[in-house]
């Protein structure tokens, strides 16, 4: 520590030498400016100049050799410096007073300086050099630190103090460094304002003016600014501040005392602009930016505050642009510390005044998103929201930033310029919107920007006229203009396609008049008008998006042209049907089919579509689209055919059967492997076609439909490898497959179909599907319907025991139908009779629901909330109560399983008429043919009478009839038929 202190003392002495030289230089300059100098003055000035140069050379030598040979040679130089300083003092003392003419204060100041220099002692004892020589290289080589100029008792934050070695810089009264030094008559220099104040007090007190230091009486209070000393102090202060900046910068580089160093720099930056420039030049500004990533939030806040000051000028902004300060500050917007967040926003607010830095903010990941979020959340932090708004406003200077803002959900600047900007700006904005629309599906909410919609529609209506070969400059210019118009038109179409897919924009677009413009583009413009297919594709896409995104749109009131045609009219449907053909681009066909599908959801447009389908070749065209290379188009075509099935299903079925080129494709389209949308929609479509169409059923059967369907169901139910049980289309696919099986059960009078149903064990499949809850309830309902259809055949297929004893002599109906397996099964059950069907029954041979164990499962289905499941289960149970079977036994089987209670419970849970009718029918049969116990259960039910009365008053003919019969059985209304019978007896 002693060695370090000694080195610091040497540096102080060197600074003292420098101070003397700075103070001498102005004095020499003042003397040289005298127009009438005494003769002796020239000789003195020459000597002064020589000595000053010698001193400077010695100081330079000292700087060069200090780190290499700080021993005897250094001592020699210091001794020579002392001699030179004393010599300069001697020269100054020889200057005659007449050289200063009337400026006796300057003469006094120079004499004071001469005396000070003559008494200078720079000599050091020899022990210094041995101590310095023993110091490590790290100390000898280091740059001057701020601590070298600060008294040992002061702290780092007291760096604005200076060492007390420069006594001439200090005012004798205030003991502070003088700003405006002035010399009085006694030759002593004071702070001008202080000495003047003292003189005024002496005059007020009627005391003689005296020098506070010497006590000398003053004849006047006149004083003169000590220009030389003032310049010296000013220069010293500047050099000291520069040194302080360097020292603080070194501390930042080393990472030591970072907080104190930043505080020091903050105080220096507020003193004068030159210090900020110095920080820029010395690299302090760049060094500071790394502390924005400090783990200490206090350091980050202090750094932001200082950087905010440093970025005020253009040089600071340029430096920031070469660092990661912008990115680091942008990350701090999301800080949970409100102070840090506010400082980061203030910094970015100043930074974004530069277009270059604003671009950097736009390119920083997440910055715009955070700014937009901060702007929107005004209720959370109003000040932060205000700053974020200013930042975003600053960034609007660059058009590209508006696209980034839109990408992050802030569309206002872009839409404003789209509507109010110049033509060039509008073209640029719509180009950005188009670019964003193509990059990703962005919800451009323009629900409250009707003018933006109108601007886009206006751009779309701009016609790009075709031009021929250009030969003149004007024609070339015209082509350029037309090219721009085409580009703008395409971009506007892209934007309309994008924004039309969101429900919030649909009404605004319709109100702005987009529908007639799109219809005109579709129906009236042709490629010959200079408008090829792409605009038609976009126009159809806009219409399809609008209809899909806003189902509540009423096509009956939307006008498509000036002739009064509506969106739901036959005019629209005929034109749409005319556009459907293989020669058209697939995307155009997709969009047209989407339009037709959306319109078919409304009654009036559906009527128009069906009428057009009957009058044109639309059905055949859609069937041809099934083989399109685009899977999307193929799926859309299937969906449209499925919509038309309830109205012209037989026509569609006949066209499919007669289309020779597609015979083998109907079943193959069900596909193996992973279930896709096309497989699900196709299976659903095949299930929807009229079930009673025997031609179509046989057509499917002969293509192997039943085995394929059963195998696919088995794969899905049992998780066989290769199936797509987890596919999102699995439920729809399964529903279609089961529907296809049900369709075959409706035409069992055909022997070929019956044999296929028996061989593929459809009864077992339906039975298993009833208890599978993995799939939609629609599947369970279909399974119940299939069991009902098969169960209704049991009474005809089940034969008495006598007929079963000689199966070889039977040549009738059953011999043609039953397989060898079925016949063997019947022989094995020769001793067992079905109680309901009064013959030998089996699951596959007679489809008996009792043998299949379906009764309990059907009764369980009655507890389902889905109406289709309940209807199917009631229908299947009804097969046990038909006239040809043993009704009493059927009722008993149902009652033993608590079936009567369950049927009555259905009436309490469901209001659907079809359910009520089937339940009433079963109850009527139970009252008519059931045991007393069954009748008692029905009579005790409290819900039944009310439901019967409601059905009797408001039901249709069949419902009223069955309700009337039950009420009579329960004696709730008179039974006149019994009365008449009694009278006859």
């Amino acid at each position: 520590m002693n060695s370090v202190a000694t080195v610091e003392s040497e540096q102080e002495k060197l600074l003292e030498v420098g101070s003397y030289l700075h103070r001498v230089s102005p004095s020499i300059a003042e003397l040289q400016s005298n127009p009438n100098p005494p003769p002796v003055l020239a000789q003195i000035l020459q000597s002064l100049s020589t000595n000053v140069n010698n001193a400077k050379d010695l100081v330079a030598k000292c700087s060069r050799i200090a780190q290499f040979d700080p021993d005897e040679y250094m001592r020699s130089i210091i001794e020579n410096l002392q001699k030179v300083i004393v010599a300069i003092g001697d020269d100054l003392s020889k200057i005659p007073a007449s050289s200063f003419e009337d400026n006796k204060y300057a003469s006094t100041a120079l004499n004071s300086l001469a005396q000070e220099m003559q008494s200078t002692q720079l000599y050091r004892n020899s022990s210094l050099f041995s101590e310095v020589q023993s110091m490590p290289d790290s100390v000898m080589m280091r740059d001057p630190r701020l601590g070298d100029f600060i008294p040992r008792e002061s702290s780092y934050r007291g760096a604005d103090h200076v060492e007390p070695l420069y006594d001439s810089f200090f005012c004798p009264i205030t003991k502070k460094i003088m700003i405006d030094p002035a010399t009085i008559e006694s030759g002593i220099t004071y702070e001008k304002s202080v000495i003047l104040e003292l003189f005024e007090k002496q005059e007020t007190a009627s005391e003689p003016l005296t020098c506070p230091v010497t006590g000398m009486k003053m004849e006047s209070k006149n004083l003169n600014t000590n220009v030389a000393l003032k310049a010296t102090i000013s220069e010293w202060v500047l050099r000291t501040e520069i040194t302080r900046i360097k020292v603080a910068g070194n501390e930042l580089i080393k990472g030591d005392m970072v907080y104190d160093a930043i505080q020091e720099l903050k105080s220096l930056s507020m003193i004068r602009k030159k210090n900020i420039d110095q920080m820029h030049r010395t690299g302090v500004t760049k060094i500071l930016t790394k502390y924005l990533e400090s783990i200490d939030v206090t350091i980050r806040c202090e750094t932001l505050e200082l950087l905010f000051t440093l970025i005020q000028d253009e040089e600071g902004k340029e430096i920031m642009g070469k660092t990661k300060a912008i990115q680091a500050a942008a990350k701090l917007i999301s800080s949970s510390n409100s102070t840090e967040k506010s400082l980061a926003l203030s910094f970015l607010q100043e930074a974004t005044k530069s277009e270059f830095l604003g671009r950097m903010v736009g390119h920083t990941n997440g910055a715009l998103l955070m700014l937009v979020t901060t702007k929107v959340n005004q209720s959370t932090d109003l000040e932060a929201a205000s700053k974020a708004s200013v930042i975003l406003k600053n960034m609007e200077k660059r058009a590209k930033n508006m696209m980034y803002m839109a990408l992050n959900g802030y569309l206002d600047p872009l839409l404003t310029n789209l509507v109010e900007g110049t033509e060039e700006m509008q073209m640029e904005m719509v180009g950005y919107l188009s670019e964003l629309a193509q990059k990703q599906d962005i919800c451009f909410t323009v629900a409250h920007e009707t003018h933006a919609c109108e601007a886009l529609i206006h751009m779309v209506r701009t016609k790009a006229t075709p031009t021929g070969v250009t030969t003149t400059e004007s024609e070339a210019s015209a082509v350029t203009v037309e090219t721009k118009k085409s580009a703008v038109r395409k971009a506007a179409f892209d934007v309309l396609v994008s924004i039309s897919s969101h429900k919030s924009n649909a009404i605004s677009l319709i109100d702005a008049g987009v529908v007639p413009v799109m219809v005109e583009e579709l129906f009236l413009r042709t490629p010959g008008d200079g408008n090829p297919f792409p605009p038609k594709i976009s126009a159809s896409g806009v219409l399809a998006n609008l209809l899909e995104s806003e189902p509540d749109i009423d096509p009956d009131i939307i006008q498509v042209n000036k002739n009064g045609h509506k969106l739901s009219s036959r005019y629209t449907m005929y034109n749409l049907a005319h556009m459907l053909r293989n020669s058209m681009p697939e995307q155009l066909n997709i969009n047209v089919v989407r339009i037709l599908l959306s319109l078919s959801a409304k009654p009036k447009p559906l009527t128009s579509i069906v009428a057009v389908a009957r009058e044109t070749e639309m059905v055949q065209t859609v069937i041809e689209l099934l083989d399109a290379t685009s899977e999307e188009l193929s799926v859309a075509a299937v969906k449209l055919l499925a919509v038309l099935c309830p109205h012209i299903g037989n026509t569609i079925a006949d066209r499919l059967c007669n289309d020779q080129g597609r015979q083998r494709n109907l079943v193959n389209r069900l596909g193996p492997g992973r279930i896709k949308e096309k497989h699900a929609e196709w299976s659903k479509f095949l299930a929807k076609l009229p079930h009673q169409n025997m031609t179509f059923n046989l057509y499917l059967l002969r293509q192997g439909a039943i085995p394929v369907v059963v195998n696919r169901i088995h794969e899905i139910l049992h998780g066989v490898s290769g199936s797509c049980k987890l596919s999102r289309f699995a439920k729809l696919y399964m529903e279609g497959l089961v529907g296809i099986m049900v369709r075959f059960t409706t035409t069992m009078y055909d022997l070929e179909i019956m044999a296929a149903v028996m061989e593929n064990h459809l009864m077992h499949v339906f039975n298993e599907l009833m208890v599978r809850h993995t799939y939609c309830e629609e599947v369970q309902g279909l399974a119940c319907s299939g069991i009902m259809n098969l169960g209704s055949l049991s009474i005809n297929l089940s034969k008495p025991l006598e007929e079963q004893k000689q199966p070889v002599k039977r040549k009738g109906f059953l011999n043609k139908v039953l397989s060898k397996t079925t016949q063997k099964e019947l022989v094995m059950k020769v001793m067992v009779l079905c109680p309901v069907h009064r013959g030998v029954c089996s699951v596959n041979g007679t489809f008996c629901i009792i043998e299949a164990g379906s009764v309990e499962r059907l009764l369980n289905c009655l507890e389902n909330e889905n109406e289709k499941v309940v209807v199917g289960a009631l229908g299947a149970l009804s097969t046990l109560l038909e006239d040809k079977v043993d009704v009493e036994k059927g009722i008993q089987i149902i009652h033993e399983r608590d079936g009567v209670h369950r049927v009555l419970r259905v009436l309490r849970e469901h209001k659907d008429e079809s359910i009520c009718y089937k339940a009433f029918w079963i109850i009527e049969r139970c009252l008519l043919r059931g045991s007393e116990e069954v009748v008692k259960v029905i009579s005790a039910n409290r819900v039944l009478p009310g439901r019967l009365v409601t059905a009797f008053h408001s039901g249709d003919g069949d419902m009223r009839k069955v309700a009337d019969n039950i009420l009579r059985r329960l004696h709730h209304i008179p039974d006149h038929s019994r009365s008449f019978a009694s009278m006859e007896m």
Side-chain angles (χ1 to χ4, degrees), residues 294-307:
S294 171
I295 60 174
D296 189 339
V297 65
T298 304
I299 296 295
R300 295 199 302 269
C301 288
E302 293 296 327
T303 304
L304 282 169
E305 195 171 348
L306 178 54
L307 287 177

Side-chain angles (χ1 to χ4, degrees), residues 407-462:
L407 192 62
N408 287 276
Y410 184 46
L411 274 166
D412 293 354
L414 195 151
L415 294 178
T416 299
N417 282 279
L418 179 68
V419 177
E420 301 175 2
T422 62
E423 184 177 355
E424 290 295 326
M425 179 62 75
Q426 288 179 331
M427 293 171 63
E428 194 169 5
M429 293 301 102
V430 76
Y432 287 151
L433 282 175
S434 173
E435 185 178 344
L436 290 174
Q438 293 173 5
K439 282 184 177 180
Q440 63 186 72
D441 182 22
I442 303 172
C443 179
F444 296 122
T445 304
V446 295
H448 303 292
E449 294 288 345
T450 306
H451 295 300
C453 299
E454 292 173 351
L456 291 169
I457 293 170
H458 175 73
M459 294 177 186
V460 164
R461 300 192 73 171
T462 303

Side-chain angles (χ1 to χ4, degrees), residues 100-369:
F100 295 94
E101 296 181 346
D102 296 333
N103 193 349
K104 59 181 179 180
Y105 301 108
S107 176
T108 303
L110 190 60
N111 287 332
S112 175
L113 177 60
Q115 294 173 8
E116 186 179 344
M117 295 179 73
Q118 285 175 327
S119 62
T120 298
Q121 293 293 329
L122 297 178
Y123 182 78
R124 298 292 186 270
N125 56 43
S126 59
S127 63
L128 161 69
F129 301 102
S130 60
E131 291 178 2
V132 172
Q133 192 172 22
S134 63
M135 290 174 63
D137 292 342
S138 61
V139 176
M140 294 296 296
M141 297 293 289
R142 65 182 175 85
D143 294 332
R145 294 180 57 187
L146 188 57
D148 299 335
F149 306 96
I150 303 173
R152 278 284 170 250
E153 66 273 10
S154 65
S155 66
Y156 192 94
R157 297 193 65 176
D160 54 340
H161 296 86
V162 295
E163 61 285 347
L165 298 175
Y166 310 107
D167 295 336
S168 59
F169 290 1
F170 289 86
C171 175
I173 298 175
T174 63
K175 306 302 181 184
K176 295 181 180 179
I177 296 177
M178 294 179 286
I179 298 174
D180 189 7
T183 305
I184 63 175
E185 188 177 348
S186 65
I188 305 301
T189 303
Y190 299 91
E191 181 66 50
K192 185 176 182 179
S193 61
V194 175
I195 193 63
L196 286 175
E197 183 180 356
L198 180 62
F199 285 165
E200 288 177 1
K201 289 181 179 179
Q202 290 177 350
E203 285 182 343
T204 304
S206 300
E207 296 178 359
L209 300 178
T210 59
C211 175
V213 175
T214 65
M216 171 184 172
K217 290 184 179 181
M218 311 293 296
E219 295 179 2
S220 70
K221 61 178 182 180
N222 292 335
L223 44 82
N224 190 22
T225 300
N226 192 332
V227 177
L229 183 58
K230 184 177 181 178
T232 301
I233 292 173
S234 177
E235 180 66 23
W236 181 88
V237 168
L238 289 175
R239 287 189 295 105
T240 301
E241 290 175 357
I242 291 173
T243 304
R244 289 165 65 185
I245 291 171
K246 290 181 179 179
V247 173
N250 288 338
E251 295 297 335
L252 292 176
I253 292 174
K254 297 173 183 177
D256 298 333
M257 302 177 69
V258 174
Y259 177 83
D260 292 329
I262 294 175
Q263 289 294 321
E264 174 76 353
L265 292 170
K266 283 172 61 179
S267 64
L268 289 169
S269 67
M270 291 185 286
I271 294 175
R272 67 187 85 255
K273 174 67 169 62
K274 287 185 178 180
N275 287 339
I276 294 177
D277 297 337
Q278 181 66 19
M279 293 179 197
H280 293 332
R281 287 194 296 272
T282 56
V284 171
T285 305
K286 185 176 181 180
I287 296 169
L288 275 168
T289 59
K290 74 176 184 179
Y291 287 103
L292 290 177
E293 299 178 355
S294 171
I295 60 174
D296 189 339
V297 65
T298 304
I299 296 295
R300 295 199 302 269
C301 288
E302 293 296 327
T303 304
L304 282 169
E305 195 171 348
L306 178 54
L307 287 177
F308 175 74
T309 303
L310 298 179
I311 203 175
Q312 300 286 332
D313 57 15
E314 291 302 319
E315 186 178 359
K317 289 181 173 63
E318 183 179 351
I319 293 172
M320 297 298 175
K322 297 177 182 179
T323 67
K324 295 182 179 181
I326 301 300
Q327 294 88 332
K331 293 179 182 178
L332 300 180
I333 301 176
S334 59
S335 173
S336 58
N337 185 299
S338 58
T339 302
E340 182 177 32
K341 181 177 182 178
S342 178
L343 290 171
L345 288 169
S346 297
F347 175 77
L348 291 175
Q349 182 176 330
E350 183 63 33
T352 51
K353 292 179 181 178
S354 163
E355 184 177 337
F356 173 71
L357 296 184
R359 183 163 65 250
M360 290 186 68
V361 174
H363 282 90
T364 302
N365 290 336
L368 279 172
L369 179 60

Side-chain angles (χ1 to χ4, degrees), residues 612-625:
V612 170
R614 286 189 176 124
E615 297 168 8
T616 65
E617 290 297 316
M618 175 180 167
V619 171
Q620 184 60 39
T621 302
V622 177
I623 290 175
E624 291 174 359
L625 295 178

